[in-house]
Amino acid sequence: MNLMDEGIVIVYTGNGKGKTTAALGLVLRSIGYGFRVVMIQFIKGEWHYGELISSEKLKPEFEMIAAGKGFVGIIDDDHDFNEHVRAAKQALKIAKKKIESGLYDIVILDEINYAIKLKLILVEEVIDLIKNRKKTSVVLTGNYAHSQIIENADLVTEMKSIKHPYKKGIKAKKGIDF
Ligand code: ATP
Ligand code: MG
């Protein structure tokens, strides 16, 4: 495939806020052209997110699939690790189907970097996935992006935390954090 026609691989990583928000910014921009975008959430499927509600309003151009099982091994985690593995594998299967369908301009794999870091899925499987993207651009979010992911990406941005209200004890805010 001609390099210009090929979709690009975008990575948003780092310890600062804005990775998922940046991916959602691309949704707003691209659906303006009538592009088709799907976001698959790898980790946070059980939370209620503003974007999950918005996706209903942005149909059919934007689709959102919450496949994850909430935070892994941290507070409030009442799921068995294997359940997380199953959920992440399921998310990966959906991602593969979506990318191979050729129907999407952009496929966003939200928090997939954490799923790799936590060993819920193998980095090799994700590399295979992005190598088969053809004209679809793929966005991978989450801190701790694997070196192989960075190597195979065209655009990598690291969000660096300078300040976060969390440090002052300000809890997650509706419409800003979720
Ligand atoms: P967002 O979805 O707001 O763009 P993100 O995708 O960059 O955030 P994640 O790692 O997915 O960040 O974490 C999601 C939640 O954690 C958000 O509510 C965000 O505000 C919060 N968060 C992100 N970075 C930090 C940080 N450095 N310290 C504390 N909380 C953070
Ligand atoms: Mg995020």
Side-chain angles (χ1 to χ4, degrees), residues 16-147:
K17 174 178 162 63
K19 301 175 285 292
T20 300
T21 320
L24 288 169
L26 295 180
V27 173
L28 184 62
R29 177 171 289 164
S30 59
I31 67 170
Y33 299 106
F35 286 4
R36 293 278 305 266
V37 187
V38 61
M39 178 182 239
I40 301 156
Q41 286 208 323
F42 274 72
I43 303 276
K44 298 187 298 190
E46 287 180 1
W47 275 34
H48 290 280
Y49 283 96
E51 55 264 40
L52 201 53
I53 305 163
S54 309
S55 68
E56 288 299 312
K57 302 183 187 175
L58 300 175
K59 266 181 181 169
E61 288 87 353
F62 181 46
E63 242 176 89
M64 198 159 150
I65 301 169
K69 281 268 168 206
F71 291 111
V72 182
I74 330 173
I75 30 154
D76 296 339
D77 186 9
D78 51 7
H79 295 287
D80 185 55
F81 185 76
N82 289 323
E83 217 179 303
H84 288 294
V85 173
R86 228 174 297 134
K89 284 203 159 120
Q90 180 62 19
L92 194 66
K93 210 187 262 177
I94 296 167
K96 192 168 146 62
K97 219 185 246 173
K98 295 291 189 189
I99 291 171
E100 284 173 358
S101 76
L103 293 172
Y104 296 87
D105 297 282
I106 306 177
V107 173
I108 302 166
L109 310 175
D110 193 40
E111 319 297 351
I112 193 170
N113 292 332
Y114 295 118
I116 297 166
K117 169 86 177 160
L118 294 163
K119 299 195 183 341
L120 302 179
I121 51 174
L122 293 172
V123 67
E124 289 79 10
E125 296 178 286
V126 182
I127 300 294
D128 276 353
L129 195 74
I130 61 183
K131 281 191 172 157
N132 287 323
R133 69 187 180 278
K134 299 189 198 82
K135 69 168 199 20
T136 303
S137 288
V138 181
V139 183
L140 301 95
T141 85
N143 199 9
Y144 314 110
H146 194 286
S147 59

